[in-house]
Amino acid sequence: MWPSPPGRPGSGDDALPWPTSIGAPAPGLTNSILGHMSWITRLASFLRTQAHQILFNTCRCKMLFQKLMEKTGVLVLCAFGFWVFSMHLPTKVQVWQDGSINTPLQSLRMYQEKVQHHTGEIQDLRGNMSQLIAKLQLMEAMSDEEKMAQKIMKMIQGDYIEKPDFALKSIGASIDFEQTSATYNHDKARSYWNWIRLWNYAQPPDVILEPSMTPGNCWAFSGDRGQVTIRLAQKVYLSNLTLQHIPKTISLSGSTDTAPKDVVIYGMEGSPREEVFLGAFQFQPENIIQTFQLQNQPPRTFSSVKVKIASNWGNPRFTCLYRVRVHGSVTTQTEA
């Protein structure tokens, strides 16, 4: 066994044998080289790890930087937009505060009001049209009796005699009240207030000299006997006399018992008044307009006509005269 070389730590069985070959490196040198290689390996591994970490951190920094730049760009754009909005907002607010926007709003309100107004007018027109259509339908649905009544009213209001009437009030005819019966006054035809008489609704005698022929617009006298004297507009050769009464269809009582029945006609002239008999007739209420031929022979002129009613058609309280017409021809100057 070779002795341990000087300077070798320890000795024993686990000690490396000393090489016996010439030129072989010493065991200490080998250990040193191995130690340095291990240190270099560790250093390389550490450097590699650090390099990897640095590279990884660098990539993360790049990504973070990119994201930061993106966020920063968005923030910058937002800040720029807010700045633009804040620069222009006071102008818009000032415009609204100045009331320049009120003109379009007022125009819109006025337009809405006009539309509502015209809508109301259109609805009113539609309502009127509906009423007119309803009236037309009602007229078409009228019964034959109603149509006949209307036809009779038209006949009454018209003048189909085609003869001049010298007893018209409008041309100067009048009533001689001294030669005329008293007007019939019934309590139901009066109006009282605190026992004071206010008005008498009975018609005067001269209503028979007017062309109006409506129910109730007549002259009434008490009982079934009476008379009326008419002053003519001028002296006339009398030829005919016409009596007119309302038909039963439009009578308020549904009856014609107040119509005159037996009638006597006299012509009056001179002073004192001379009465000349001109005829006696019977009025038939079924014929609402009847013309009678007078017996004026030889022909002579008269200034007044007296109409005497000797009876009526059954009413015991009063008799009604609606209209009296006197026909003839005008006297000449030589005969006046």
Side-chain angles (χ1 to χ4, degrees):
M1 298 294 294
W2 294 89
S4 300
R8 176 179 174 84
S11 61
D13 294 336
D14 58 348
L16 294 175
W18 185 261
T20 56
S21 60
I22 300 175
L29 180 58
T30 302
N31 291 335
S32 177
I33 291 171
L34 291 174
H36 285 292
M37 289 179 67
S38 176
W39 183 82
I40 290 171
T41 302
R42 292 177 181 174
L43 179 60
S45 176
F46 173 75
L47 291 175
R48 186 178 62 183
T49 301
Q50 292 297 321
H52 281 288
Q53 290 181 356
I54 290 172
L55 290 174
F56 179 74
N57 290 334
T58 301
C59 292
R60 291 183 63 184
C61 288
K62 286 183 180 181
M63 294 176 63
L64 180 63
F65 181 74
Q66 289 178 356
K67 291 183 180 181
L68 181 62
M69 289 298 294
E70 292 177 358
K71 300 294 184 181
T72 304
V74 174
L75 292 175
V76 169
L77 290 176
C78 291
F80 179 74
F82 179 76
W83 175 77
V84 172
F85 180 75
S86 62
M87 289 294 292
H88 290 274
L89 181 62
T91 304
K92 298 296 182 181
V93 172
Q94 185 177 3
V95 169
W96 294 340
Q97 292 179 352
D98 290 341
S100 61
I101 195 70
N102 291 333
T103 301
L105 292 176
Q106 291 177 356
S107 300
L108 181 60
R109 292 192 188 98
M110 292 176 63
Y111 179 75
Q112 291 177 347
E113 292 176 357
K114 288 182 179 180
V115 170
Q116 293 176 355
H117 178 69
H118 291 307
T119 302
E121 290 182 347
I122 292 173
Q123 291 178 353
D124 294 338
L125 290 174
R126 287 180 178 175
N128 294 333
M129 288 295 295
S130 300
Q131 293 178 359
L132 290 175
I133 292 173
K135 289 182 179 179
L136 289 174
Q137 293 176 350
L138 181 62
M139 291 178 65
E140 292 178 355
M142 288 172 57
S143 64
D144 294 338
E145 184 178 354
E146 291 174 340
K147 291 180 180 179
M148 182 61 67
Q150 288 187 354
K151 185 177 180 180
I152 292 173
M153 285 299 298
K154 290 180 180 179
M155 292 177 62
I156 293 173
Q157 294 175 359
D159 188 354
Y160 297 93
I161 302 303
E162 296 183 354
K163 293 179 181 294
D165 181 10
F166 292 95
L168 274 174
K169 183 179 179 180
S170 59
I171 65 173
S174 61
I175 298 295
D176 186 352
F177 290 95
E178 293 181 358
Q179 300 290 327
T180 300
S181 301
T183 300
Y184 174 71
N185 291 322
H186 191 265
D187 291 340
K188 292 183 179 179
R190 300 175 183 176
S191 177
Y192 291 88
W193 180 257
N194 294 332
W195 302 97
I196 299 176
R197 180 177 173 181
L198 296 178
W199 188 256
N200 182 9
Y201 288 95
Q203 298 291 345
D206 56 1
V207 72
I208 67 174
L209 308 180
E210 298 175 354
S212 177
M213 287 293 299
T214 55
N217 191 35
C218 64
W219 173 61
F221 57 86
S222 298
D224 60 350
R225 294 176 178 269
Q227 67 181 25
V228 59
T229 302
I230 304 171
R231 295 192 188 99
L232 303 177
Q234 54 184 315
K235 290 183 178 182
V236 180
Y237 286 104
L238 299 180
S239 61
N240 302 92
L241 184 136
T242 300
L243 294 180
Q244 188 170 354
H245 199 81
I246 62 172
K248 183 178 180 180
T249 54
I250 64 171
S251 174
L252 300 181
S253 63
S255 173
T256 56
D257 59 354
T258 61
K261 183 177 181 181
D262 295 313
V263 182
V264 182
I265 310 299
Y266 295 92
M268 302 182 67
E269 184 58 46
S271 181
R273 295 268 178 110
E274 178 188 1
E275 295 184 1
V276 178
F277 176 78
L278 298 178
F281 315 98
Q282 190 176 84
F283 180 80
Q284 302 294 329
E286 292 81 8
N287 301 323
I288 58 177
I289 302 177
Q290 296 178 43
T291 301
F292 305 103
Q293 183 72 35
L294 300 179
Q295 303 172 9
N296 189 12
Q297 296 294 334
R300 57 178 298 186
T301 61
F302 296 96
S303 60
S304 298
V305 173
K306 179 183 287 186
V307 180
K308 283 189 175 182
I309 309 300
S311 65
N312 65 16
W313 285 95
N315 193 303
R317 293 183 295 127
F318 61 92
T319 304
C320 287
L321 281 180
Y322 272 88
R323 188 178 180 187
V324 178
R325 309 188 199 187
V326 178
H327 313 293
S329 59
V330 180
T331 60
T332 61
Q333 293 182 357
T334 59
E335 295 174 335

